[in-house]
Amino acid sequence: MSNSPSNGILEDFISLFYPRYCRGCLNSLAKGEELICTQCLLEMPKSYYHLQQDNPFFQKFRGRLPVKHVMALFKFVKESRVQQVLHALKYKQQPELGQMLGRVYGKDLFEAAYSDSFDLIVPVPLHSSRRRIRGYNQSEEFGKGLSNILDVPCDDTYMKRAARTETQTHKSKLSRWENVNRIFQVVDQSLIAERRILLVDDVVTTGATLEACGQALLNAGCRELSIACIAATQ
Ligand SMILES: [Zn+2]
């Protein structure tokens, strides 16, 4: 069985009759397994970027944004279990999946002595109308899982997204960047100033969204900016 998001209908069918299925491979979960089976957790490609500061994801921001740590739980591969899991998190009403992945990465970061590296976890905000429709912000759910293990507060209300971005894909790269760059606003600068912030997102491709969001945090006086996401393209 392939595991692309085009399996959406199949997944809907499976979830109807077998609620205890793996969100990565769609096979049934064994006793004690939650949301993602042990085999998927072992085989999905971890990036280990938190163990290598000058990693390919970090290099993506070189000359664009001054960042301290840039990390991802997984390497993003199309048509893979990672994509299947991210699709479920975003489109299948499964916020608990984001929290679980946050705890998984939180444990990796904890073991690598990151527990005292951040003062605040800030998720990339969704536009309020999209959040209302989806019912949750998938990046915030990932942040909550990290928060749970690292004991660093995670708050979704420090930033807001000012405009919708649906038309972005139809625009040129430059105007897209400009578009994104106006979108993110820090609500109260005093809550961001002098803080070491871990900005979190779900999946990262160009980094344009994180660049705009991170720039808004730096403009608000954040002392040190780091980034963590669930998966990053190479
Ligand atoms: Zn699985």
Side-chain angles (χ1 to χ4, degrees):
M1 181 195 293
S2 84
N3 298 301
S4 74
S6 58
N7 280 338
I9 295 167
L10 176 64
E11 184 177 352
D12 289 342
F13 182 79
I14 289 171
S15 65
L16 200 58
F17 295 99
Y18 305 99
R20 284 188 43 77
Y21 69 99
C22 170
R23 272 60 172 177
C25 65
L26 307 185
N27 292 322
S28 60
L29 290 168
K31 209 173 177 180
E33 291 177 339
E34 291 293 335
L35 300 170
I36 300 177
C37 76
T38 311
Q39 198 175 351
C40 278
L41 280 176
L42 282 171
E43 291 178 3
M44 289 199 293
K46 283 191 167 185
S47 79
Y48 297 106
Y49 288 158
H50 61 288
L51 301 179
Q52 178 199 353
Q53 189 171 23
D54 191 17
N55 61 63
F57 190 23
F58 178 86
Q59 288 160 10
K60 205 172 259 201
F61 294 94
R62 181 167 290 152
R64 297 165 71 188
L65 193 69
V67 276
K68 175 88 173 180
H69 304 288
V70 184
M71 314 174 286
L73 172 54
F74 298 120
K75 292 178 181 175
F76 182 82
V77 183
K78 276 194 170 174
E79 308 284 312
S80 70
R81 283 176 283 194
V82 172
Q83 188 176 19
Q84 172 75 34
V85 164
L86 285 163
H87 185 82
L89 168 63
K90 212 163 169 178
Y91 300 110
K92 299 286 175 186
Q93 290 298 310
Q94 297 181 14
E96 66 280 7
L97 195 48
Q99 289 182 31
M100 184 224 182
L101 294 169
R103 288 194 300 272
V104 167
Y105 205 31
K107 282 172 194 160
D108 286 355
L109 296 184
F110 185 85
E111 282 169 16
Y114 277 93
S115 51
D116 193 31
S117 300
F118 316 110
D119 301 313
L120 192 65
I121 297 171
V122 175
V124 170
L126 289 181
H127 185 264
S128 56
S129 68
R130 182 174 292 179
R131 193 201 157 97
R132 206 157 41 240
I133 292 164
R134 187 171 298 160
Y136 59 95
N137 172 352
Q138 69 279 5
S139 301
E140 182 188 12
E141 298 304 320
F142 179 60
K144 281 184 199 168
L146 288 168
S147 167
N148 186 249
I149 302 296
L150 297 175
D151 198 23
V152 175
C154 171
D155 203 301
D156 185 49
T157 62
Y158 288 166
M159 294 195 86
K160 62 179 183 185
R161 198 166 187 142
R164 299 177 70 94
T165 57
E166 277 84 355
T167 56
Q168 263 185 47
T169 48
H170 304 296
K171 295 188 177 176
S172 72
K173 197 172 181 184
L174 183 66
S175 65
R176 176 173 160 176
W177 188 85
E178 288 171 336
N179 185 23
V180 164
N181 205 35
R182 282 196 307 271
I183 287 172
F184 298 105
Q185 291 167 359
V186 167
V187 175
D188 182 348
Q189 288 207 5
S190 70
L191 300 171
I192 297 300
E194 292 306 311
R195 302 294 201 287
R196 297 168 304 165
I197 290 177
L198 180 63
L199 177 61
V200 297
D201 204 355
D202 54 350
V203 59
V204 178
T205 50
T206 66
T209 303
L210 282 170
E211 189 182 345
C213 209
Q215 198 57 58
L217 290 166
L218 289 167
N219 292 348
C222 119
R223 175 147 67 96
E224 194 178 276
L225 180 67
S226 295
I227 287 169
C229 68
I230 300 173
T233 58
Q234 286 173 288

